[in-house]
Amino acid sequence: MVSLAVHREEAGDRRGAEDLYLQAYAHGNTRALVHLVLCREADGDSQGVESLARRAADHGDTRAMSRLAAIRRVFKELWQYGLDPDGTPTPRWWSDS
């Protein structure tokens, strides 16, 4: 099922791929969660990434957690001061002078 989902994703059917990954996970394939983490990462869904990565780690798959750590490093570099409610990077609000 994961292989079919990968093919769906490569063909541009992300929604169909996510559905298949979820079905694979429901049948006990925790590797599917790692693929879902990558899908959610591509969509910019940081909450979904974290939730799925933690779920995968709960099942003993640490690859998703290492991916989450890498994503957080990138987010910290890109959005050092966080994001405003409209999704734009928050500028530094103090000066060194």
Side-chain angles (χ1 to χ4, degrees):
M1 198 169 293
V2 169
S3 296
L4 181 56
V6 168
H7 289 296
R8 282 274 174 94
E9 193 172 359
E10 289 171 350
D13 181 10
R14 185 177 314 244
R15 187 75 209 132
E18 286 192 21
D19 289 343
L20 287 168
Y21 288 136
L22 286 170
Q23 288 177 37
Y25 169 67
H27 287 89
N29 187 332
T30 58
R31 192 181 105 203
L33 288 176
V34 176
H35 288 280
L36 279 170
V37 165
L38 297 174
C39 286
R40 299 289 162 83
E41 176 189 2
D43 291 340
D45 179 7
S46 60
Q47 287 182 336
V49 167
E50 183 156 352
S51 172
L52 290 167
R54 288 183 185 278
R55 192 180 312 174
D58 288 344
H59 290 286
D61 193 329
T62 57
R63 292 174 296 175
M65 288 305 285
S66 64
R67 186 69 187 160
L68 176 61
I71 292 166
R72 284 186 173 167
R73 278 193 298 277
V74 169
F75 285 165
K76 187 175 181 180
E77 290 171 15
L78 292 176
W79 305 316
Q80 185 175 2
Y81 308 109
L83 292 175
D84 285 345
D86 66 357
T88 59
T90 303
R92 187 172 131 175
W93 52 270
W94 68 92
S95 67
D96 290 330
S97 51

